[in-house]
Amino acid sequence: MLKELTVIIPTYKAEKTISRTIESIIAENVLPDNIIVVEDGVYDDTKKVIDKYNIKHIIQNENLGAPAARNRGLQEVETKYVMFIDSDDFVSTQLIKGLVDSSNLHNSDISFGPWRLDGDSMRKGKIRQPPYLDSEDWIFNWINNECVPTCSVLWRTERLKKIGGWDERLKKNQDGELAIRGLMNTKKISISQEGYSTYWQHNSQFRVSKASIEDRLFASEVIYEHILKWINSNNNLVEYKKSLGRYCCKVAWIAQSEEYKNDSDKWMLRAKKLGYEDDGYNKKTIVLSRVFGFDTAIEIKSKLHTLKSYLK
């Protein structure tokens, strides 16, 4: 049994999916005593569903959001490691054991493991392996290329508590902000190639992916400020300014696609000041912008994204 790990599951109206999540964790030999469900407001029969598992159940009578629920669970953790798995996600084939073994072997503060996308109205995705990068490169891989969902991230509890846990202000990209803050505060990272988690996408109106553009831009602002302060704190990090500029360009495209022109202009100006002079943030957007112009390129890309989603 994996006695040195606690798994926290924040829930909100999760009666239809929580059993699959819990059973996948128990199947990975996590002690039921080390599984904590934090119900973020009591709105359905989640309690009835989880009572049979004899796991810890914390009720928050007010809906405070997933970061607050995760932090509430974190207060109870006394084990060496902690994971956060949302109530619609699940784990498979030794993912958790692989993460714990990797962390113990390398004495790491953060360990990343494989994952895949699946969900309502979409095809099952392929298993994705996290790359072997140092902490600095991981930050920019995260914001500019591909992240790792929280269901495949293992934290050393002491380190997570030291950096302050989850940012309860955020309604979007909470896991990204936490990972970036963690990566800026440690070089002890490990990678496991064992098993995988399933990051489930569903059509519920309560998904954070449905957060407003204002929430998305606020999270981007927080992340930008973290990284800029970190770069400016150390002359050895100056080389990463252009990578941050690329991120600014990406946010500018998002803002423009939502017709937030002032925000788009602000982010594009930031990109240029950081030395990123290209017209896009990847090969496709650069070509589109140079051929059709910025505004038309945004419209084309948005339509292509909509078509791609429809064809899944």
Side-chain angles (χ1 to χ4, degrees):
M1 301 298 287
L2 296 174
K3 298 180 180 180
E4 55 192 335
L5 167 73
T6 298
V7 177
I8 297 170
I9 308 171
T11 70
Y12 178 77
K13 293 190 175 182
E15 63 179 20
K16 294 182 179 180
T17 59
I18 188 70
S19 290
R20 180 178 63 182
T21 304
I22 294 172
E23 289 172 8
S24 76
I25 296 166
I26 292 174
E28 294 283 275
N29 291 318
V30 177
L31 292 171
D33 288 346
N34 288 354
I35 302 173
I36 302 174
V37 171
V38 184
E39 195 167 3
D40 187 29
V42 184
Y43 303 106
D44 64 0
D45 289 331
T46 294
K47 184 179 186 306
K48 291 182 182 179
V49 174
I50 68 175
D51 275 349
K52 64 182 178 180
Y53 297 108
N54 296 316
I55 60 180
K56 181 173 287 189
H57 180 212
I58 298 173
I59 296 173
Q60 301 207 123
N61 292 321
E62 183 180 357
N63 177 220
L64 300 175
R70 294 173 184 132
N71 282 338
R72 177 64 186 88
L74 184 59
Q75 292 175 13
E76 306 294 320
V77 177
E78 297 179 353
T79 53
K80 183 178 181 181
Y81 300 118
V82 63
M83 286 185 71
F84 301 87
I85 301 178
D86 289 348
S87 58
D88 53 352
D89 300 335
F90 53 97
V91 297
S92 305
T93 61
Q94 302 296 302
L95 170 83
I96 294 178
K97 183 179 184 299
L99 288 169
V100 171
D101 288 348
S102 176
S103 292
N104 282 333
L105 179 63
H106 299 284
N107 190 31
S108 61
D109 292 322
I110 309 172
S111 185
F112 297 127
W115 61 283
R116 68 178 177 93
L117 280 172
D118 200 356
D120 303 330
S121 304
M122 69 176 295
R123 297 176 185 149
K124 183 182 295 184
K126 66 179 181 180
I127 296 175
R128 307 183 188 187
Q129 297 286 346
Y132 288 87
L133 302 170
D134 60 26
S135 58
E136 292 86 356
D137 289 334
W138 250 113
I139 290 171
F140 296 101
N141 181 72
W142 194 291
I143 64 174
N144 288 325
N145 297 307
E146 186 174 61
C147 65
V148 178
T150 189
C151 48
S152 277
V153 182
L154 180 78
W155 291 87
R156 184 183 296 271
T157 305
E158 180 183 12
R159 171 60 61 178
L160 181 56
K161 289 182 176 181
K162 188 173 182 179
I163 66 171
W166 296 78
D167 189 333
E168 297 182 14
R169 300 173 298 165
L170 301 183
K171 296 181 180 179
K172 178 67 178 175
N173 204 8
Q174 307 140 358
D175 51 346
E177 186 277 338
L178 180 65
I180 288 163
R181 193 156 27 94
L183 290 164
M184 289 191 300
N185 283 278
T186 188
K187 291 184 177 294
K188 297 179 179 179
I189 301 168
S190 63
I191 301 296
S192 171
Q193 295 184 329
E194 298 295 321
Y196 61 92
S197 70
T198 296
Y199 184 37
W200 191 262
Q201 308 291 290
H202 61 80
N203 297 323
S204 169
Q205 61 180 306
F206 306 112
R207 284 193 60 79
V208 294
S209 59
K210 293 186 178 291
S212 69
I213 181 61
E214 290 89 351
D215 294 330
R216 295 169 69 188
L217 292 175
F218 176 69
S220 298
E221 189 76 32
V222 171
I223 290 170
Y224 166 78
E225 290 175 356
H226 282 327
I227 298 176
L228 184 63
K229 182 178 179 180
W230 171 71
I231 289 174
N232 288 337
S233 70
N234 188 333
N235 290 334
N236 293 328
L237 300 174
V238 172
E239 63 180 290
Y240 291 104
K241 281 190 173 182
K242 191 170 183 179
S243 294
L244 179 57
R246 179 183 169 195
Y247 172 69
C248 293
C249 182
K250 182 178 180 179
V251 178
W253 274 68
I254 293 170
Q256 183 73 13
S257 70
E258 298 286 345
E259 300 183 351
Y260 275 61
K261 187 177 187 308
N262 290 339
D263 290 277
S264 179
D265 290 345
K266 178 183 74 174
W267 283 96
M268 193 61 77
L269 180 61
R270 286 175 171 175
K272 291 179 179 178
K273 285 183 176 180
L274 289 165
Y276 192 80
E277 298 292 343
D278 291 310
D279 303 311
Y281 57 89
N282 59 23
K283 291 180 180 179
K284 183 184 294 184
T285 58
I286 289 170
V287 170
L288 285 172
S289 185
R290 290 179 178 173
V291 173
F292 298 102
F294 184 60
D295 291 343
T296 303
I298 291 286
E299 184 178 355
I300 292 171
K301 185 173 183 297
S302 296
K303 289 181 178 179
L304 288 173
H305 179 74
T306 301
L307 177 62
K308 184 178 179 182
S309 299
Y310 175 78
L311 292 174
K312 283 184 176 180

